[in-house]
Structure formats: structure tokens, C-alpha cells
Amino acid sequence: MSEPLPSAATTATVFSPQEICRRVDACPKLASLQSINQALHELVNSEQSLSSQIAEIIRRDPSLSARLLRMVNSVYFGLSARINNIEEAVFFLGLRQIRELSMATPVIEDLERLQPASSPLPWKDLWSHSIGTAILTREILASTHLTFDDDTDYLVGLLHNVGKVVMAYAFPEELARIVSTPCASTLEVSRLETGLIGWDHAQIGARYLERHQLSPEIIYAVRYHNEPGRAPRHRLLAAAVQVADHLVRHAGMPNGFESVPPVEADAWTQLEGWNVLYGADGHEAALARASLANALHRLPAMLSGLL
């Protein structure tokens, strides 16, 4: 029998909002969120960029270089000969995937530094889930009327569970109980978090990102990704993250920080976020289903070389 969820009457006041803010604000800031690989970001967005110039900047970052070579040599690309040259890897991957990799790498490495040294938590599962959610959030938003001049559509997915990482730093005992408690759904997990701490991971993550002065689009999407219908602004972004999160879980990549059942096929079409994005199950929803089925098929191979 699963452990009963704590009642709001007995646990909601364990931490006051002021104490929660104090603990979250004491969590170290991430340099990568202030400037996500700015030199490379500017170069890959320039129409005059040369593969040799991009490769030169990547070579300065051993971790990014290693991830780049792992990715291009993964089963996703199916190359007959192994690639060991950064410039060749840039050519095969293309600028979009270089941009995504250059954003994910420093963010994940910074987040890893927040982990307690003795933490038994499944961090690699969280990183796989976060990158997969970022990829599919971008895919979902490409089917809507929203357009982005930057990488907001990727970052909202990458950072949607940053509150879990902050909880490991600021509320380790509460997080340990949350991870070990079986729940019926992600919404039930959020209620458990609120019962033990006072805020759930979405609100904690939003507070943390607000301190980094990230854009309102990212903050609102992270804050409301489990309840996009409640978002006062940027509802489509929050909805896309909710649907992407469930798709990634269905693909066998849970975030490892929750004990919830696997997501059944097409369960995401019953989500509040799906309705926000596509409304009734008409032509637009049918096109989205086809596109996402293809993306889901490709996702495990895309991630295989990243971590």
C-alpha cells in the first residue's frame, strides 16, 4: 500500500513562504543561465558562420567536444565510419543541433555541481528526461502559430524540472520522502511536494529562474507546466512542456525523481495542455499526432549520444 499523502492541515505550514524563498535564494546561481555559451550562440546564429569557426570555439570546451563526438557517432546518424574530427561533426550535425547541444551542456554541468556529493538520486535520468522534453517542446511549438527568434522554445523544456534540483539542495529530506512515495500522477506528486514543503517543484523552479532574471516566458512556462490552464500568461509554452513531459515519459524516460506509473499511449491527448494547444480533436490535432509519433520514434537514438 502506498504511503498516504500528507494532509495540508498538518504539513502546509512546515515552511513559510519567507523561509522557502530564503532557502531557494541561498542556492548558488548558475553561470550558464546568465550567458549560455554566448560566443558559440552568436556564431551559430550568424549567416556568415563557417564550420571551421564553430569547430574552433567547440574545441575550447572539452566537455562540449566530447558530447558532440558522442552524438555524431551515435546510432541516430548511422555513419559507416567513426567521426573523430570536430569540424566534420559540425557538418553532420547541423547548426540547430549544435545550438541545442551548446545550451544543454553548460546548464547540465552547472546543475550537476549543485548535487550533494553523496546524493543517491538518479541524476542521469533527470538530464535525459530534461533534454528529451526540450527537444519535444520545440517540436510541439513548431506546430503552433508561435515563432521564436531565440531558443526559448528549447529552454522551457530543458529547465522545466530545475525546481527538483533546487529541492535537492534546499530541501533534501523532503525530496527524499517525495522520491520514495508512490503517486498516481505528476499532479499528485505536486500536491505531495506542496504538503511537505509549502510549494511544489514548479513554483520553486520559477522562483529560482526569476532570480536569474530569465524571461517571463520561461518563468511562466516552468511555473505552470503541470497546470497550463491556470497560467495567466504564456499558456501555450506551459502547455507544450506538459505534453512533451508526458511524451518523454511514454518513451521510457521518466525523470527518476517521482514514483508514478508509466504513461500510456495517447494519454497526452487527454491533458489540459493538449486542449490548450489544439482544442477539439480536429485536423490540427491529427497533424500534431503524426508529427509527434515521428519525433517519439527518433528520440531515444537522438539522446543516446548525449549523456
Side-chain angles (χ1 to χ4, degrees), residues 154-166:
Y154 185 84
L155 286 171
V156 291
L158 185 67
L159 297 172
H160 76 289
N161 274 336
V162 70
K164 301 277 190 187
V165 184
V166 176

Side-chain angles (χ1 to χ4, degrees), residues 75-127:
V75 294
Y76 176 61
F77 289 92
L79 301 177
S80 57
R82 184 171 181 81
I83 300 293
N84 293 308
N85 180 285
I86 296 294
E87 195 167 337
E88 284 185 72
V90 169
F91 172 79
F92 278 107
L93 283 176
L95 295 186
R96 174 169 158 170
Q97 286 184 300
I98 294 291
R99 278 169 57 182
E100 293 176 354
L101 193 60
S102 71
M103 282 186 292
T105 295
V107 170
I108 287 174
E109 290 181 350
D110 267 0
L111 291 174
E112 284 177 339
R113 293 186 189 105
L114 293 183
Q115 302 170 28
S118 59
S119 173
L121 294 168
W123 294 100
K124 188 173 180 179
D125 291 344
L126 184 65
W127 310 145

